[in-house]
Amino acid sequence: MLEHVTEADGVLLDIVYATDRVFTGRAVYTRPVALLLPEAKALLALAVGMAAALGLRLRIFDAYRPIEAQWALWNAATDKRFVSDPRKGGIHPRGAAVDLTLVDADGAELDMGCGFDDFTARAAHGCLEISIEAQRNRAILLGIMTAAGWDHYRLEWWHYQLFDCRRYPPLSASAVPEGPM
Ligand SMILES: [Zn+2]
């Protein structure tokens, strides 16, 4: 069963895919909630603690997404490297991935060089075409998440997932607390 991650867990939520700010132009699910497997929630808690020690917080853009949402993203994405194939179950539909950034003590997002879901080469870890400050901020996020036990995706600075995440099955609406999203 998926579990809610809320502000009570020390994170901030900006669930972009439940808004019209998603790159498809309209929400791909309706409830602005962050849901993760218990294993993933536990690793996120470690990351929250490490960020807090630096005076920072994590802001979540997306966590679990229903497979129907994965299809909507897949169908809209022109570059399929940036959306996992729903025919293979995707990654987020397993509750094993989270998209997020770092926020400072004033609630301002740290400069990451490009925005969430900027599907260009600038989104890749190791991109040297962004400011030094942004490179440093990405390295802080990567360091925190890696030390907390997360795997990263080389092409997206915002995406983290459990190692060997395909051992977890894609989850249907029946795994969602309070029913479908
Ligand atoms: Zn992601």
Side-chain angles (χ1 to χ4, degrees):
M1 183 60 105
L2 295 160
E3 295 184 359
H4 281 280
V5 179
T6 71
E7 299 200 352
D9 299 300
V11 301
L12 298 167
L13 300 183
D14 177 17
I15 305 301
V16 172
Y17 287 1
T19 76
D20 60 8
R21 287 178 286 126
V22 58
F23 68 88
T24 59
R26 60 178 206 162
V28 296
Y29 51 76
T30 57
R31 286 168 51 199
V33 294
L35 297 164
L36 287 173
L37 292 174
E39 299 93 320
K41 183 175 177 179
L43 296 190
L44 192 68
L46 296 176
V48 166
M50 283 183 251
L54 301 178
L56 301 169
R57 284 185 290 176
L58 299 167
R59 175 173 286 157
I60 297 175
F61 299 126
D62 182 49
Y64 168 78
R65 70 179 76 125
I67 197 70
E68 293 82 2
Q70 191 71 24
W71 274 108
L73 300 172
W74 175 261
N75 289 334
T78 52
D79 187 337
K80 303 302 190 196
R81 294 176 305 165
F82 292 100
V83 179
S84 189
D85 190 341
R87 292 167 297 190
K88 298 175 182 173
I91 307 295
H92 283 268
R94 300 168 196 271
V98 63
D99 299 329
L100 76 182
T101 193
L102 286 168
V103 172
D104 69 17
D106 297 322
E109 290 182 14
L110 270 56
D111 178 7
M112 291 295 180
C114 71
F116 169 58
D117 277 356
D118 181 328
F119 294 159
T120 69
R122 292 172 64 84
H125 286 287
C127 175
L128 302 178
E129 308 305 315
I130 58 174
S131 71
I132 299 296
E133 181 187 0
Q135 291 178 50
R136 184 178 293 119
N137 291 338
R138 285 188 190 184
I140 293 170
L141 180 59
L142 179 63
I144 288 171
M145 293 298 281
T146 301
W150 292 85
D151 192 8
H152 71 290
Y153 179 48
R154 190 174 55 82
L155 298 183
E156 298 178 352
W157 63 259
W158 56 81
H159 175 95
Y160 290 87
Q161 62 191 42
L162 296 180
F163 278 96
D164 196 16
C165 58
R166 292 186 189 278
R167 71 191 137 124
Y168 301 100
L171 298 170
S172 68
S174 63
V176 177
E178 301 102 42
M181 295 174 75

